[in-house]
Amino acid sequence: MSIQSFMPPQRTLMGPGPSDVSPRVLSALARPTIGHLDPTFIGMMDEVKSLLQYAFQTKNTYTMAISAPGSAGMEACFVNLLTPDDTVVVCKNGVFGARMIENVQRIGAKVVVVDGTWGRAVDPQALEDTLKQTPQARFVAFVHAETSTGALSDAKTLCEIARQYNCLTIVDAVTSLAGVELKVDEWGIDAIYSGSQKCLSCVPGISPVSFSDQAAQVIKNRKTAVQSWFLDQSLVMEYWSGQGKRSYHHTAPVNSLYALHESLIVLQNEGLENSWARHRNLHNKLALGLANLGLDFIVPEQERLPQLNAVNIPQGVDDVKVRQILLNDYNLEIGAGLGQFAGTAWRIGLMGYAARNENVVLCLAALKEALTK
Ligand SMILES: *Cc1c(COP(=O)(O)O)cnc(C)c1O
């Protein structure tokens, strides 16, 4: 007996990520691998950079893709910007805010937490109150789209407040990028990271990041080396600088970057605003259908993320059994609850290529049958 090639089943991915990858992006992955210092590849990387500048709505020179998943983008922002002398205000309203706190703690910097409610947006007033009492704070960090709860925070207002208190901002846009309005330059975001596998609908494992000139200056002015060699942006920035000269830092995930390039072309062709509108429209349709099934949302309407719909599991319904029926009978994946909501919520994703009318219809029909059983 020998082990055979792995043939994954054809699923519809409507969880918290990864989302469905479009056939266009999958076929880009299968193109011939070339050297990562090949001039042709370097030309493609420069295009990835300008496509990312479009997706983030920024002119930041230091806009690039880290060769690792969203979590590495998070870590890269924290380890490059912070030193143990710094004080950081972290807004926590779910799992990913808690991870930000852990990043700060591991660096040995001081963290002051704005403790928010799970399932609600970050409260701008609570941030301002904390900043008033924390004059030594240099950074404010928050999650734009909290995938663990489905809450969308007002990044524009939070950045405005941070700026009034002379803080740079670190923003998690892993789930928000391409799914909801996000304007890095207009909102004055200093360091932002995202992920390839949520609303960009690319394969998992790449993290787009962008640093404002001010944030890049903080990194350049560091007196101590960044604790992580791999994530040290001062080394990687040269690799991505686009000045024609590229030196070896690590081997880029060549084919995954073809895929990212293709997914960003798909986004460019659709148009950012159209992508935001598509997520919103399909969310409205899904929300109506879920209400008809008697399922209620965790997050109040004005604070809901279109691309991540968290609903309470009705009393007496078996969480695991329902998700098994969806997976086995419909090849449909939805997300389980995470953290405080483990076992009590479902998280239905409408991300990127998965945000299509036929998926909304499939999900509602499948849920209806599973709930009846
Ligand atoms: C998914 C996610 C991450 C982590 O991204 P990975 O690619 O899984 O490492 C970070 N923050 C948020 C808000 C996410 O949804």
Side-chain angles (χ1 to χ4, degrees), residues 69-71 96 143 145 147 172 174-175 197-198:
S71 305
F96 293 101
V143 179
T147 323
D172 179 316
V174 176
T175 285
Q197 87 281 23
K198 311 250 168 143

